[in-house]
Amino acid sequence: MTAYQHKEMKIFTGNANASFAEDVCRNIGVRLGNSFITSFSDGEVSVSLHETVRGADVFLIQTTSMPINDHLMELLIMIDACKRASAGRITAVMPYLCYSRQDRKAKSRDPISAKLVANLLEAAGADRVLTMDLHAAQIQGFFDIPVDNLLGSLLFVEYYQHKFGGRTDDIMVVSPDIGSVSRARTFAMKMGLDLAIVDKRREKANQAEVVNIIGSVEGKRIILFDDMVDTAGSLCAAVDALVNTGGASEVYACASHGLLSGEAISRIEASPIKELVVTDTVPYPKDKPRSDKIHYLTAAPLFAEAIGRIYEEVSISTLFR
C-alpha cells in the first residue's frame, strides 16, 4: 500500500461550476464534500468546511471562469482553509486555468500574470494542480509543484469520429493561428487528417485580422481546433476567411474552453459556422441566450479518471494517449 492509499478522499467545490464537480463525484462514486462559500457585504469571500479534512487527500474543484477574480479568490481561500485544517494533500482541480494567456512579456512593462497565479496557488498551500489544455504548455514550468495538463483533444476526436464516421476524405483540420499549430497538428494526426493554418495579425487583445490561409481548403469541410473561445472575434474572422476567401464548403469548430464573453454568442450566431463544440470546463454564461450552434461535451469522466489515479498514486500517462 502506498503512502496515500489509506487516506480518505475528500472533494469540495467552489461556486464557479458546482454541477461539473457533482458530475465528477458521480463518476468517481464519492460524495461531494459539505462546504459553504459566500461573501460578506463588502465582497470578501467566506469559506466554511462542514466536515473534517485532517489527513485527507483533498481535491478542490474550481474552474476560474467569470467572474474570474472572485472564483480565483474562492479557490485560494479554500486551499488555505484545508491547509490550516491539516489536510494531508491538497490538489487544486482547475478545469480552466485563468490568466494563462499572459505567459510572457510580449512588450515592455508587460506582467507575466500566469506566473503570478502559480505563485499564489503555491503560497496558499496547494500541493498539486490538475487542469486541462493550458494556453501555453510552458506554464507547467511556472510551478514548483506537479501540474497535470489533460488533453481535451481526446474528447473531440471521439466526437468527430462518431459524427463523420468514415467519410473523412473531404475533411481538413485548421489551426486558427500560428500559436495553435502544435495542438492542432496533434489533433489532426489523431484524426488522420491534413492540416492548414490561418495566419493572422493581432493588433490588440480580442481583435485579430486574418492575413493569409496556409494550405488549400477549397471544397473542404473544416474543423477549426483551438484551446479556447473568448469573444469569438478571432474564430469568426477565421471562419469568414475560410468560407469567403478559401472556398471551404462547411466550417465546424471546437475548443476546450468556451469562455463566450462579450458579443461571442451573437457573433457565432451571425457567422457561417455550422457548429461550435466546447467542453463543460466553463459553464454556459447565465446571462446569455442559448445558441443552437453551440454544443457541449462533458469533461467530467476524464477529470474523474485523473483524480482517481492521483489518489491511488497510479500513472495518468494513459490519459494522454
Side-chain angles (χ1 to χ4, degrees):
M1 180 178 289
T2 62
Y4 286 104
Q5 280 181 305
H6 69 283
K7 295 182 181 293
E8 186 178 5
M9 177 193 288
K10 297 272 188 175
I11 300 179
F12 296 91
T13 185
N15 292 321
N17 198 354
S19 61
F20 179 82
E22 291 168 357
D23 287 344
V24 170
C25 288
R26 194 175 300 113
N27 277 273
I28 297 175
V30 299
R31 177 183 58 83
L32 186 63
N34 186 9
S35 63
F36 183 68
I37 302 173
T38 186
S39 298
F40 294 109
S41 58
D42 63 352
E44 289 185 1
V45 175
S46 173
V47 172
S48 298
L49 304 179
H50 296 314
E51 57 187 80
T52 181
V53 296
R54 183 175 295 273
D57 202 354
V58 177
F59 296 86
L60 303 176
I61 301 178
Q62 175 81 326
T63 200
T64 43
S65 56
M66 295 185 293
I68 289 170
N69 297 329
D70 290 349
H71 290 154
L72 178 60
M73 279 305 300
E74 281 185 13
L75 176 60
L76 294 173
I77 294 173
M78 289 168 68
I79 293 170
D80 184 74
C82 291
K83 194 73 174 178
R84 295 178 187 278
S86 302
R89 180 174 63 177
I90 302 169
T91 300
V93 181
M94 306 175 70
Y96 167 66
L97 180 64
C98 62
Y99 290 102
S100 59
R101 283 173 286 187
Q102 301 178 43
D103 62 315
R104 67 194 186 283
K105 290 188 69 170
K107 62 182 185 300
S108 299
R109 295 173 295 281
D110 269 1
I112 304 181
S113 305
K115 172 59 177 168
L116 175 60
V117 170
N119 291 344
L120 290 170
L121 289 166
E122 291 182 40
D127 298 300
R128 191 181 197 103
V129 172
L130 174 62
T131 187
M132 188 170 83
D133 282 336
L134 289 169
H135 188 64
Q138 66 266 22
I139 291 175
Q140 288 177 289
F142 293 176
F143 292 82
D144 292 322
I145 56 176
V147 177
D148 296 307
N149 183 30
L150 301 176
L151 302 179
S153 61
L154 304 175
L155 303 174
F156 298 122
V157 168
E158 182 179 352
Y159 175 78
Y160 285 117
Q161 285 177 341
H162 182 266
K163 182 180 183 70
F164 296 121
R167 301 178 297 107
T168 60
D169 292 343
D170 65 336
I171 300 176
M172 196 171 198
V173 174
V174 173
S175 172
D177 53 44
I178 299 297
S180 298
V181 169
S182 179
R183 66 169 59 91
R185 182 182 291 115
T186 300
F187 174 67
M189 289 174 62
K190 290 176 192 247
M191 289 287 294
L193 302 174
D194 292 331
L195 176 70
I197 303 166
V198 174
D199 181 22
K200 68 184 182 184
R201 182 182 299 112
R202 186 181 297 277
E203 300 296 340
K204 56 184 178 179
N206 297 128
Q207 290 188 15
E209 174 191 353
V210 173
V211 178
N212 194 21
I213 299 172
I214 303 171
S216 175
V217 298
E218 187 172 0
K220 299 283 189 179
R221 289 184 291 169
I222 300 301
I223 302 175
L224 266 171
F225 181 80
D226 208 352
D227 65 314
M228 69 173 69
V229 176
D230 188 0
T231 63
S234 297
L235 172 70
C236 292
V239 172
D240 288 340
L242 289 165
V243 173
N244 299 325
T245 303
S249 61
E250 293 180 344
V251 180
Y252 301 83
C254 58
S256 297
H257 311 299
L259 307 184
L260 304 178
S261 64
E263 301 300 316
I265 294 173
S266 59
R267 284 175 178 149
I268 291 167
E269 282 292 316
S271 79
I273 189 172
K274 290 289 184 181
E275 179 186 61
L276 170 64
V277 183
V278 294
T279 75
D280 55 356
T281 56
V282 176
Y284 194 90
K286 294 179 180 178
D287 59 339
K288 301 290 177 64
R290 280 281 174 179
S291 169
D292 293 335
K293 287 188 175 183
I294 301 174
H295 178 74
Y296 277 79
L297 301 180
T298 181
L302 182 61
F303 274 89
E305 178 71 14
I307 288 172
R309 286 174 174 269
I310 291 170
Y311 171 69
E312 294 170 359
E313 296 293 330
V314 175
S315 172
I316 69 168
S317 61
T318 56
L319 300 182
F320 297 97
R321 294 174 187 168

